[in-house]
Amino acid sequence: NAGVMQNPRHLVRRRGQEARLRCSPMKGHSHVYWYRQLPEEGLKFMVYLQKENIIDESGMPKERFSAEFPKEGPSILRIQQVVRGDSAAYFCASSPQDVDTQYFGPGTRLTVL
Amino acid sequence: AQTVTQSQPEMSVQEAETVTLSCTYDTSESNYYLFWYKQPPSRQMILVIRQEAYKQQNATENRFSVNFQKAAKSFSLKISDSQLGDTAMYFCAFMKHGDNDMRFGAGTRLTVKP
Protein backbone atom coordinates (compact mmCIF):
# COMPACT_ATOMS: atom_id res chain seq x y z
CA ASN A 1 0.00 0.00 0.00
CA ALA A 2 1.77 3.13 -1.22
CA GLY A 3 1.93 6.01 1.18
CA VAL A 4 0.91 9.59 0.56
CA MET A 5 2.60 10.83 -2.59
CA GLN A 6 3.61 14.41 -3.23
CA ASN A 7 5.23 15.92 -6.26
CA PRO A 8 7.35 17.62 -7.05
CA ARG A 9 9.66 17.11 -4.09
CA HIS A 10 11.46 20.35 -4.87
CA LEU A 11 10.08 23.33 -6.76
CA VAL A 12 11.86 26.55 -7.61
CA ARG A 13 9.90 29.56 -8.78
CA ARG A 14 10.70 33.21 -9.42
CA ARG A 15 8.66 35.91 -7.77
CA GLY A 16 5.36 36.40 -9.54
CA GLN A 17 5.15 32.90 -10.99
CA GLU A 18 2.63 30.25 -10.05
CA ALA A 19 3.36 27.13 -7.98
CA ARG A 20 1.25 23.98 -8.22
CA LEU A 21 1.80 21.28 -5.64
CA ARG A 22 0.21 17.88 -6.01
CA CYS A 23 -0.81 15.31 -3.43
CA SER A 24 -2.16 11.80 -3.93
CA PRO A 25 -3.60 10.40 -0.70
CA MET A 26 -3.12 6.85 0.47
CA LYS A 27 -5.40 4.33 -1.17
CA GLY A 28 -8.75 4.31 0.57
CA HIS A 29 -8.26 7.73 2.17
CA SER A 30 -10.85 10.36 1.33
CA HIS A 31 -9.62 13.19 3.56
CA VAL A 32 -6.70 15.43 2.59
CA TYR A 33 -4.96 18.09 4.66
CA TRP A 34 -2.31 20.64 3.69
CA TYR A 35 0.23 22.05 6.11
CA ARG A 36 3.06 24.56 5.72
CA GLN A 37 6.35 24.38 7.57
CA LEU A 38 8.60 27.40 7.73
CA PRO A 39 12.28 26.83 8.57
CA GLU A 40 12.86 25.75 12.18
CA GLU A 41 9.14 25.76 12.94
CA GLY A 42 6.39 23.22 13.38
CA LEU A 43 3.73 22.55 10.81
CA LYS A 44 0.84 24.98 10.46
CA PHE A 45 -2.55 23.81 9.21
CA MET A 46 -3.76 25.36 5.97
CA VAL A 47 -6.76 23.52 4.56
CA TYR A 48 -8.81 20.33 4.85
CA LEU A 49 -10.58 18.83 1.85
CA GLN A 50 -12.72 15.90 0.95
CA LYS A 51 -13.48 14.88 -2.62
CA GLU A 52 -14.82 17.95 -4.47
CA ASN A 53 -15.30 19.87 -1.22
CA ILE A 54 -13.28 22.30 0.85
CA ILE A 55 -14.27 21.57 4.43
CA ASP A 56 -12.03 23.95 6.36
CA GLU A 57 -9.71 26.56 4.89
CA SER A 58 -9.27 28.60 8.03
CA GLY A 59 -5.48 28.33 7.90
CA MET A 60 -5.04 29.37 4.32
CA PRO A 61 -4.15 32.94 3.31
CA LYS A 62 -7.13 34.65 1.74
CA GLU A 63 -5.27 35.78 -1.34
CA ARG A 64 -3.14 33.92 -3.89
CA PHE A 65 -3.67 30.49 -2.28
CA SER A 66 -6.25 27.95 -3.39
CA ALA A 67 -6.75 24.22 -3.02
CA GLU A 68 -8.85 21.59 -4.69
CA PHE A 69 -9.45 17.85 -4.46
CA PRO A 70 -11.28 16.82 -7.61
CA LYS A 71 -13.33 13.69 -8.06
CA GLU A 72 -10.52 12.20 -10.13
CA GLY A 73 -6.86 12.90 -9.62
CA PRO A 74 -4.68 14.36 -6.91
CA SER A 75 -5.31 17.26 -4.60
CA ILE A 76 -3.70 20.48 -5.81
CA LEU A 77 -2.40 23.37 -3.73
CA ARG A 78 -1.99 26.39 -5.96
CA ILE A 79 -0.06 29.52 -5.10
CA GLN A 80 -0.37 32.39 -7.52
CA GLN A 81 2.15 35.24 -7.87
CA VAL A 82 4.55 33.69 -5.40
CA VAL A 83 6.63 35.87 -3.10
CA ARG A 84 9.79 35.05 -1.17
CA GLY A 85 7.79 34.56 2.01
CA ASP A 86 6.04 31.59 0.40
CA SER A 87 9.32 29.64 0.54
CA ALA A 88 8.61 26.72 2.84
CA ALA A 89 7.99 23.00 2.95
CA TYR A 90 4.39 22.10 2.14
CA PHE A 91 3.13 18.82 3.54
CA CYS A 92 0.06 16.92 2.57
CA ALA A 93 -1.56 14.37 4.87
CA SER A 94 -4.46 12.00 4.39
CA SER A 95 -6.73 9.99 6.63
CA PRO A 96 -9.43 7.40 6.16
CA GLN A 97 -12.97 8.45 6.78
CA ASP A 98 -13.82 8.68 10.47
CA VAL A 99 -10.26 7.97 11.58
CA ASP A 100 -8.27 10.79 13.06
CA THR A 101 -4.68 9.75 12.51
CA GLN A 102 -3.15 11.64 9.61
CA TYR A 103 -0.41 10.13 7.48
CA PHE A 104 2.00 12.54 5.88
CA GLY A 105 3.62 12.69 2.50
CA PRO A 106 7.30 13.54 2.01
CA GLY A 107 6.56 17.21 1.43
CA THR A 108 7.32 19.66 -1.35
CA ARG A 109 10.04 22.19 -0.67
CA LEU A 110 9.20 25.42 -2.46
CA THR A 111 11.94 27.96 -3.02
CA VAL A 112 11.04 31.38 -4.39
CA LEU A 113 13.94 33.29 -5.89
CA ALA B 1 -7.42 28.11 21.08
CA GLN B 2 -5.25 25.10 21.61
CA THR B 3 -1.50 25.59 21.90
CA VAL B 4 1.29 23.07 22.10
CA THR B 5 4.59 23.87 23.80
CA GLN B 6 7.84 22.00 23.48
CA SER B 7 10.25 23.68 25.86
CA GLN B 8 13.41 21.86 24.73
CA PRO B 9 14.65 23.15 21.36
CA GLU B 10 17.56 20.69 21.35
CA MET B 11 18.54 17.56 23.22
CA SER B 12 21.21 14.92 22.92
CA VAL B 13 21.58 11.40 24.26
CA GLN B 14 24.20 8.68 24.11
CA GLU B 15 23.40 5.64 22.04
CA ALA B 16 21.61 2.93 24.05
CA GLU B 17 20.52 5.35 26.75
CA THR B 18 17.06 6.71 27.50
CA VAL B 19 15.81 10.22 26.78
CA THR B 20 12.54 12.00 27.53
CA LEU B 21 11.13 14.81 25.42
CA SER B 22 8.58 17.09 27.03
CA CYS B 23 5.37 18.51 25.66
CA THR B 24 2.62 20.51 27.29
CA TYR B 25 -0.60 21.73 25.77
CA ASP B 26 -3.41 24.05 26.61
CA THR B 27 -7.03 23.18 25.93
CA SER B 28 -10.47 23.30 27.49
CA GLU B 29 -11.55 20.22 25.56
CA SER B 30 -11.97 16.86 27.27
CA ASN B 31 -11.88 14.62 24.20
CA TYR B 32 -8.83 14.89 21.99
CA TYR B 33 -5.83 13.12 20.54
CA LEU B 34 -2.13 13.65 21.06
CA PHE B 35 0.63 12.60 18.72
CA TRP B 36 4.38 12.48 18.44
CA TYR B 37 5.82 12.76 14.94
CA LYS B 38 9.43 12.26 13.95
CA GLN B 39 11.03 14.26 11.14
CA PRO B 40 14.46 12.87 10.17
CA PRO B 41 16.83 14.74 7.83
CA SER B 42 14.84 13.35 4.90
CA ARG B 43 12.05 15.72 6.09
CA GLN B 44 9.45 12.96 5.99
CA MET B 45 6.92 13.24 8.83
CA ILE B 46 6.61 9.86 10.50
CA LEU B 47 3.99 9.03 13.11
CA VAL B 48 5.71 7.69 16.22
CA ILE B 49 2.88 7.28 18.67
CA ARG B 50 -0.71 8.36 19.31
CA GLN B 51 -2.73 8.74 22.51
CA GLU B 52 -6.47 9.16 22.96
CA ALA B 53 -7.27 11.48 25.85
CA TYR B 54 -10.04 9.25 27.18
CA LYS B 55 -7.59 6.38 27.66
CA GLN B 56 -5.74 6.45 30.95
CA GLN B 57 -3.23 3.85 29.87
CA ASN B 58 -0.08 5.29 28.36
CA ALA B 59 0.52 4.34 24.73
CA THR B 60 3.65 2.36 23.85
CA GLU B 61 5.26 1.41 20.53
CA ASN B 62 8.34 -0.75 20.95
CA ARG B 63 11.07 1.55 22.33
CA PHE B 64 8.75 4.56 22.40
CA SER B 65 6.35 5.28 25.23
CA VAL B 66 4.50 8.28 26.53
CA ASN B 67 3.73 9.66 29.96
CA PHE B 68 0.29 11.21 29.55
CA GLN B 69 -0.79 13.37 32.48
CA LYS B 70 -4.21 14.71 31.53
CA ALA B 71 -4.72 16.92 34.57
CA ALA B 72 -1.32 18.50 34.08
CA LYS B 73 -1.82 18.65 30.29
CA SER B 74 1.52 16.99 29.78
CA PHE B 75 2.49 14.46 27.13
CA SER B 76 6.15 13.46 27.26
CA LEU B 77 7.85 10.96 24.96
CA LYS B 78 10.36 8.47 26.29
CA ILE B 79 12.77 6.80 23.92
CA SER B 80 14.52 3.77 25.40
CA ASP B 81 17.71 2.19 24.08
CA SER B 82 18.30 5.17 21.77
CA GLN B 83 19.62 4.37 18.32
CA LEU B 84 21.52 6.52 15.85
CA GLY B 85 18.51 6.39 13.55
CA ASP B 86 16.44 8.15 16.19
CA THR B 87 18.28 11.39 15.39
CA ALA B 88 15.56 13.71 14.12
CA MET B 89 13.23 16.58 14.93
CA TYR B 90 10.36 15.43 17.13
CA PHE B 91 7.04 17.24 17.02
CA CYS B 92 4.25 16.96 19.54
CA ALA B 93 0.77 17.55 18.11
CA PHE B 94 -2.76 18.02 19.43
CA MET B 95 -6.06 17.46 17.69
CA LYS B 96 -9.53 17.93 19.11
CA HIS B 97 -11.82 14.96 18.56
CA GLY B 98 -13.82 15.46 15.39
CA ASP B 99 -11.67 18.37 14.33
CA ASN B 100 -9.67 18.72 11.14
CA ASP B 101 -6.43 20.43 11.94
CA MET B 102 -3.57 19.35 14.13
CA ARG B 103 -1.71 21.90 16.21
CA PHE B 104 2.01 21.28 16.31
CA GLY B 105 4.67 22.34 18.77
CA ALA B 106 7.85 24.01 17.56
CA GLY B 107 9.78 20.75 17.79
CA THR B 108 12.75 19.31 19.67
CA ARG B 109 15.90 18.45 17.77
CA LEU B 110 17.25 15.17 19.15
CA THR B 111 20.77 14.00 18.43
CA VAL B 112 21.83 10.48 19.34
CA LYS B 113 25.59 10.31 19.83
CA PRO B 114 27.63 7.16 19.24
Side-chain angles (χ1 to χ4, degrees):
Chain A
N1 188 7
V4 178
M5 309 287 284
Q6 287 187 253
N7 66 82
R9 293 293 306 276
H10 300 274
L11 182 61
V12 179
R13 285 288 177 266
R14 296 192 180 280
R15 281 179 297 171
Q17 291 184 319
E18 178 180 288
R20 292 171 71 89
L21 288 62
R22 289 176 290 278
C23 169
S24 297
M26 286 179 71
K27 187 176 181 181
H29 288 195
S30 57
H31 300 216
V32 166
Y33 314 80
W34 286 94
Y35 292 81
R36 177 164 63 178
Q37 184 182 31
L38 296 173
E40 304 302 319
E41 292 187 12
L43 279 69
K44 297 286 195 298
F45 169 78
M46 298 181 74
V47 62
Y48 161 47
L49 310 101
Q50 294 180 22
K51 285 285 187 182
E52 300 185 281
N53 280 306
I54 296 175
I55 307 301
D56 180 355
E57 55 183 348
S58 59
M60 200 147 73
K62 295 286 186 286
E63 296 180 354
R64 302 189 298 108
F65 285 73
S66 63
E68 62 178 11
F69 189 15
K71 188 176 180 180
E72 301 291 337
S75 175
I76 306 287
L77 179 67
R78 184 180 175 208
I79 312 172
Q80 295 177 288
Q81 299 172 347
V82 296
V83 301
R84 287 216 175 109
D86 296 333
S87 294
Y90 292 83
F91 286 90
C92 169
S94 72
S95 68
Q97 194 169 8
D98 295 326
V99 175
D100 294 292
T101 298
Q102 296 177 18
Y103 296 89
F104 283 82
T108 293
R109 182 175 299 281
L110 172 65
T111 301
V112 180
L113 301 177
Chain B
Q2 292 86 14
T3 58
V4 178
T5 302
Q6 293 179 249
S7 58
Q8 306 150 314
E10 294 189 20
M11 291 194 71
S12 63
V13 63
Q14 290 296 132
E15 194 176 7
E17 295 196 343
T18 295
V19 64
T20 299
L21 310 183
S22 66
C23 172
T24 58
Y25 56 95
D26 183 26
T27 185
S28 57
E29 302 292 330
S30 59
N31 198 5
Y32 50 87
Y33 301 88
L34 295 161
F35 306 84
W36 278 98
Y37 281 89
K38 167 185 176 180
Q39 188 178 44
S42 67
R43 307 287 294 180
Q44 176 83 41
M45 289 288 287
I46 302 166
L47 176 67
V48 175
I49 202 162
R50 156 192 158 126
Q51 173 84 41
E52 288 92 346
Y54 64 87
K55 289 186 178 178
Q56 294 193 353
Q57 186 172 6
N58 289 324
T60 63
E61 281 292 339
N62 302 314
R63 297 182 296 107
F64 298 87
S65 62
V66 297
N67 183 5
F68 174 45
Q69 302 288 328
K70 191 171 184 179
K73 296 178 184 175
S74 170
F75 183 61
S76 60
L77 174 70
K78 185 171 86 171
I79 306 174
S80 304
D81 186 25
S82 297
Q83 300 176 0
L84 296 178
D86 295 334
T87 292
M89 283 288 287
Y90 286 81
F91 291 99
C92 178
F94 169 100
M95 187 167 71
K96 190 174 70 172
H97 178 71
D99 213 347
N100 313 312
D101 60 325
M102 281 198 290
R103 303 298 176 104
F104 285 83
T108 296
R109 185 180 301 279
L110 175 68
T111 302
V112 179
K113 298 180 178 179

